[in-house]
Amino acid sequence: MKTPILWAVAAVLAIGMSHAQAADESAGETLYSSNCAQCHGPKAKGMASFPSLAGRDAEYLSSRLEQYRAGEKVGANSGLMIPNAKNLSDDDIANLAAYISSNFQ
Amino acid sequence: MSEKRSIQSLGATIAASALILGAPIAAHSASDGPELKHTTVLSDLENPWDMAFLSDGAMLFTEKCKGLSIRLPNGNVNHLLGMNGTEGYASTADDLVCAGQAGMNGVAVDPDFAENRTIYVYSASTISDLRTNRVLRLKLNEELTDVSGRTDIVKDIPYKQEATDHPFGDSGAHNGGRIRFNPDDGYLYVTTGDNHNSQLPQSGGSLGGKVLRIDADGKGAPDNADATPEGFDPRIYTYGHRNVQGITFHPETGQPYVTEHGPWHSDEVNALVAGGNSGWDPRPNMAGRGDCPDNYCGYMPNQNEGMDPDERRKFMPITDTATYPDAMKPVWGNNGLSQGISSGVFLTGEQWGDWNGQLAVSFLGIGFGGTPVGQRINLLDLSEDGASVRNVVEMPVPTGAMRYRSLVQAPNGDLYAAVDEGQIYRIQPQ
């Protein structure tokens, strides 16, 4: 009897741990649809002057978002993007990068 | 935790600003209109830009980088005229290209289509040494499967050749591009843009920053020149515009109305007067301004950072009545905000209830510098003389917030809306 309970506890702990560390895609989805989709599109394929994010890997997306958060100019329209990155936390960036990179090819 | 907090604070900021700035818009409830339902007529399009209907309900539509197609009443789609690099079109024209905001834009059907099968398209082209925007005249075959007999009836609408140091500063910017026949006078009206070139709007020698009024051969309406200043190109109807993406005509008076995209502030609806100046003049070293990046003051005094739209308006008005006291005053100014006003159409028909006769205007949404994004369709109730707006309501669009690019009414009175996301919707009263 004891062993299975211990295993179960360990398993729950392990799941909890991995959740705490790995990005939370569903939080990324919520944030994306409320704060990003109006420019980059519901499928992140870009619209008008707003670039496609589809097919970018998480590392690329995070580093861009960190640049914009720091107020760095990247392309001609950074002025439009910077205010949208200003208030993102490290977790937000990780969640967004995970959500975008694994859902939009 | 930190992630939650930042989501909430972002949301709260948006909600708060929408509350403050949105208040005057929402003053009247939208419930005076009919209940609406919607159908997705086409999806997975690439930047659909404009539509035009034949009398039987067949719908021509453009995609900015692909070309011209037609949706038949039975729902089938025939691809008619493809642009450079496309496949699957009955004809292709390698000179038709897209870049940035430029590409294939407006489409219109000749008032005598039943006799002459003629249609018109506005597109960017590489035929000339420098790229131009053009108005193409085409014949649509009886089977609705192909077009032929291309004649470029306007060949010299300027196109932005090179990127500049401005927001949205890529090449191909500010083309206008809507084309519509006025049922009242039978002329084709063509809206253009300023290309981020400060010289164009007030220059009578250039077709940029103008509304043109031409016949089916591209010749100016004879009375244009009576109304415009000496020396103006005879095709020019009105001038001093920034980037006019929408034009429509009052169902009773034929009065043309345009939607004019504002520079970080003041989207406008204007009632056009022949020879009128819309008052946009972004030249440096005038009207109290000094030098500006790449000689264009259109986004100054502070191009890339958010600031109070009212401060911007004082520095760089879209309608400069101090310099041009006779400029056409806007009928409506979107509460001083720029949210990407994109097109307009008068709703007609009893089925629209209180909205019958009102002007529907669409917004792409921007969301720059604290301005609420503002993706929506508004209904403007114009005063008796058509010179001001009595009331504004937001259409409770069943499609949800989208980048609305084009509004067109079908022959049966249904409203069609194209969105940059790639859909064309039919919106109907229940």
Side-chain angles (χ1 to χ4, degrees):
Chain A
M1 276 309 278
K2 266 188 188 157
T3 332
I5 289 170
L6 271 178
W7 274 114
V9 169
V12 166
L13 276 177
I15 291 164
M17 297 274 291
S18 73
H19 256 252
Q21 276 160 3
D24 179 348
E25 276 189 34
S26 79
E29 178 175 11
T30 309
L31 193 48
Y32 184 83
S33 54
S34 61
N35 291 317
C36 317
Q38 77 264 25
C39 288
H40 293 287
K43 294 179 189 140
K45 63 177 187 176
M47 294 184 288
S49 306
F50 307 113
S52 168
L53 308 177
R56 298 291 193 186
D57 63 36
E59 208 174 319
Y60 177 92
L61 295 166
S62 305
S63 72
R64 276 281 183 268
L65 289 170
E66 281 161 17
Q67 281 179 289
Y68 290 123
R69 181 174 63 180
E72 268 177 56
K73 293 231 150 65
V74 179
N77 298 319
S78 299
L80 284 162
M81 181 55 212
I82 287 168
N84 293 291
K86 237 181 211 160
N87 295 326
L88 298 176
S89 66
D90 288 348
D91 282 351
D92 290 340
I93 290 182
N95 297 344
L96 282 163
Y99 170 69
I100 297 166
S101 60
S102 55
N103 288 279
F104 306 118
Q105 295 314 312
Chain B
M1 265 337 271
S2 70
E3 129 208 343
K4 282 246 171 66
R5 219 174 303 128
S6 67
I7 295 170
Q8 277 163 359
S9 71
L10 271 177
T13 314
I14 292 165
S17 43
L19 210 68
I20 298 161
L21 295 158
I25 300 171
H28 225 251
S29 110
S31 61
D32 341 353
E35 289 284 308
L36 302 175
K37 64 174 180 184
H38 82 289
T39 317
T40 306
V41 170
L42 291 168
S43 54
D44 294 322
L45 305 178
E46 272 181 40
N47 290 292
W49 215 93
D50 201 15
M51 299 83 83
F53 285 88
L54 306 184
S55 56
D56 66 354
M59 178 182 75
L60 292 155
F61 63 94
T62 59
E63 291 169 272
K64 191 181 70 180
C65 292
K66 294 180 78 180
L68 175 70
S69 304
I70 187 165
R71 179 186 181 275
L72 308 178
N74 69 10
N76 290 349
V77 171
N78 294 338
H79 299 299
L80 304 170
L81 178 65
M83 300 167 71
N84 191 303
T86 58
E87 281 173 20
Y89 283 79
S91 303
T92 42
D94 286 339
D95 68 300
L96 303 184
V97 291
C98 73
Q101 300 167 3
M104 191 179 283
N105 303 131
V107 54
V109 173
D110 194 282
D112 291 325
F113 178 82
E115 271 84 60
N116 64 23
R117 307 207 60 83
T118 301
I119 60 174
Y120 304 80
V121 178
Y122 184 107
S123 182
S125 160
T126 56
I127 288 184
S128 311
D129 288 345
L130 290 178
R131 287 184 179 198
T132 49
N133 283 300
R134 292 173 169 242
V135 181
L136 283 55
R137 190 179 70 202
L138 301 155
K139 282 210 190 304
L140 179 59
N141 67 2
E142 292 285 345
E143 298 75 31
L144 309 178
T145 53
D146 201 356
V147 290
S148 62
R150 169 176 166 183
T151 308
D152 294 5
I153 62 166
V154 186
K155 303 176 184 169
D156 52 349
I157 300 169
Y159 172 101
K160 183 179 178 189
Q161 311 292 334
E162 310 239 344
T164 53
D165 176 17
H166 300 112
F168 301 108
D170 296 335
S171 68
H174 289 194
N175 307 286
R178 203 69 66 183
I179 58 176
R180 292 285 182 270
F181 279 92
N182 184 345
D184 209 49
D185 64 15
Y187 287 112
L188 181 65
Y189 289 63
V190 178
T191 72
T192 74
D194 73 6
N195 296 186
H196 289 152
N197 178 341
S198 64
Q199 301 298 321
L200 303 190
Q202 298 292 328
S203 154
S206 165
L207 300 187
K210 307 294 183 320
V211 175
L212 315 180
R213 181 171 57 158
I214 57 176
D215 66 16
D217 295 319
K219 295 207 175 58
D223 49 348
N224 286 350
D226 301 340
T228 48
E230 196 62 33
F232 266 46
D233 188 295
R235 295 167 291 182
I236 296 173
Y237 178 62
T238 57
Y239 65 107
H241 296 286
R242 179 177 184 270
N243 189 23
V244 180
Q245 284 192 59
I247 185 163
T248 187
F249 307 94
H250 191 283
E252 277 153 27
T253 63
Q255 165 70 52
Y257 285 87
V258 292
T259 55
E260 194 158 356
H261 198 311
W264 284 166
H265 65 85
S266 312
D267 287 326
E268 284 187 350
V269 171
N270 283 294
L272 300 184
V273 180
N277 183 355
S278 200
W280 175 245
D281 188 357
R283 281 177 288 186
N285 299 305
M286 61 169 296
R289 296 180 295 270
D291 290 336
C292 292
D294 288 336
N295 289 317
Y296 180 85
C297 299
Y299 299 92
M300 294 303 273
N302 188 350
Q303 292 210 130
N304 287 310
E305 307 286 330
M307 77 181 282
D308 181 358
D310 210 43
E311 291 299 313
R312 292 188 178 281
R313 183 183 53 74
K314 287 180 193 145
F315 187 86
M316 184 64 251
I318 184 164
T319 304
D320 183 352
T321 47
T323 309
Y324 305 106
D326 296 333
M328 297 180 284
K329 313 275 183 312
V331 168
W332 186 64
N334 191 26
N335 300 311
L337 302 181
S338 172
Q339 297 171 311
I341 198 167
S342 55
S343 80
V345 68
F346 281 93
L347 290 183
T348 54
E350 296 298 328
Q351 70 271 35
W352 292 104
D354 281 0
W355 297 347
N356 183 6
Q358 295 197 9
L359 176 58
V361 293
S362 58
F363 294 84
L364 300 162
I366 300 182
F368 173 73
T371 297
V373 180
Q375 299 178 314
R376 66 186 188 279
I377 298 172
N378 272 161
L379 290 150
L380 310 188
D381 183 10
L382 299 180
S383 61
E384 210 59 53
D385 65 358
S388 61
V389 166
R390 280 196 293 239
N391 191 39
V392 181
V393 297
E394 185 173 333
M395 181 183 274
V397 273
T399 57
M402 296 270 168
R403 284 180 63 82
Y404 297 101
R405 179 66 66 177
S406 176
L407 297 179
V408 176
Q409 207 180 10
N412 72 355
D414 291 345
L415 178 65
Y416 281 68
V419 298
D420 280 357
E421 284 82 351
Q423 293 86 270
I424 296 178
Y425 296 109
R426 179 197 303 131
I427 301 172
Q428 295 166 290
Q430 296 252 14

